[in-house]
Structures are given as C-alpha cells and as structure tokens.
Amino acid sequence: GGQTMSNIHFAEIVDGWVVTTGANTLVPPGCIEITEPLPDNLYRYENGVFIRSEPPSLAHTRHPSGEWVLSTTLEVALANATTLVNAWRDTAESQQFTFAFNGRLWDARQETRARLQPVAGLSELPANFFWTDAENVDVPMTLAGVRGLSQAHDVALVERGFAIHANQRNLKATLPLLTIAELLAFTP
C-alpha cells in the first residue's frame, strides 16, 4: 500500500500580515509552516510570533499598510446617522415634560392629552372634580379650568414638538457635511 501524507498548516505573510492560511501536503512557496490553523486573517506576524489584531469596529478593514481604515461608504454612514436622528426624535417626542399653567406645573405628553381632551369636551364635570398637577397635588377644577388646562397643554405639546422637529431638521441638514469618520462617531 501507499503512504498518505498528512497536511501541513501554512500561512502566507505579506508586509507583516497573515493574508492566506490553509493546509496542504507541501508548504507553498512564500508561505511559512504553522503548528495550528489560524481561525481568520486578523493576525500580524512579528519576530516569529502571531499577534491578533482586531478591527476597531465592523466598519473597518485592514489597509495594505497594516492600519485599520474605515471601509463603509459615505451613503451607508449617512443612512445610519439619519436613523440615529430619527430615533432621537421618537424618544424626545415620547418623553414626559412639564409646563406652567395658572401658577402650577402640569405633566405633558400624548397620554395626558388623550385623558384631558374628553373631559374638556363635556358639558359639565362630576361633582368635586379635580386634576392632579405635576407635584401630585389634586387641584379642584371647573369646566372652564379644565378647558384652559387642555388648551395650555396642547400649546405646550405643539411648542415642544416644533422645537424637537426644528432640531431634527438642523441635525439632518448638518449630516451631509460630515466625513465618514464623523458620521460614524455622530450622536444626536
């Protein structure tokens, strides 16, 4: 019978980086024999030692110089930054805030509006009706008081919503002016 030759693991090193690994019965020209297979090509070879070198982010690839460089496209980086701006807007719009009306602070958000508007639309309120302010104080209310509070609440929501919208538009206007690195580092 014939004798089978076992495979020898090898790595091709170019400019100090592992560029190819494999196994064969012979070590190909320009390659070195290694004792165990390497899982990937993220290794430098310095002074006879393999040193793992991770990219700083998924958007980086290794340049022939050995440096990690950003490899995403401007379009992808811009789309990702735009998504961050939209997420910021959604979060900002959903957050509760307070506004002043008749010398008190009141909670404001869409859920409050949904509770307040039907009450303001009534022709009369139940006896001893009150609304709870932002400091958790029950405030006795007349129908005119509830309607005034509802109107002031709507104004506060619109003013805040517009401020958020204007900020979002300003952020989106600046994004195309940024470099890929600035877009990848961008936080609204």
Side-chain angles (χ1 to χ4, degrees):
Q3 183 180 8
T4 58
M5 298 187 73
S6 63
N7 283 342
I8 302 166
H9 295 284
F10 65 87
E12 181 182 6
I13 313 295
V14 175
D15 295 327
W17 283 96
V18 174
V19 293
T20 307
T21 61
N24 202 337
T25 54
L26 297 173
V27 175
C31 296
I32 60 169
E33 183 176 344
I34 56 177
T35 55
E36 296 179 21
L38 297 172
D40 53 44
N41 293 347
L42 299 178
Y43 290 85
R44 287 196 60 74
Y45 185 68
E46 296 176 9
N47 302 319
V49 178
F50 289 99
I51 302 166
R52 185 150 175 88
S53 177
E54 298 273 348
S57 78
L58 295 176
H60 286 75
T61 55
R62 194 175 57 237
H63 186 269
S65 70
E67 297 296 315
W68 290 109
V69 294
L70 293 171
S71 61
T72 190
T73 64
L74 185 60
E75 293 76 22
V76 169
L78 182 58
N80 289 341
T82 301
T83 299
L84 289 174
V85 171
N86 291 339
W88 168 85
R89 175 209 56 217
D90 293 345
T91 300
E93 287 176 343
S94 69
Q95 291 176 340
Q96 179 172 301
F97 65 100
T98 58
F99 69 100
F101 174 72
N102 278 354
R104 296 183 176 275
L105 289 179
W106 302 88
D107 292 325
R109 62 181 178 178
Q110 288 297 328
E111 291 86 347
T112 305
R113 184 174 193 256
R115 289 191 293 269
L116 192 53
Q117 282 192 332
V119 177
L122 295 175
S123 58
E124 65 180 272
L125 295 177
N128 302 314
F129 187 82
F130 62 88
W131 201 262
T132 306
D133 72 7
E135 295 164 348
N136 209 30
V137 174
D138 294 337
V139 180
M141 297 290 264
T142 63
L143 186 56
V146 168
R147 289 179 177 158
L149 177 61
S150 180
Q151 176 69 24
H153 184 268
D154 284 352
V155 168
L157 282 179
V158 169
E159 287 175 350
R160 181 169 172 99
F162 181 70
I164 291 168
H165 177 71
N167 193 25
Q168 175 201 19
R169 298 302 300 159
N170 288 337
L171 288 170
K172 284 185 174 181
T174 62
L175 293 180
L177 307 175
L178 302 179
T179 65
I180 290 177
E182 290 168 331
L183 286 167
L184 291 173
F186 174 79
T187 53

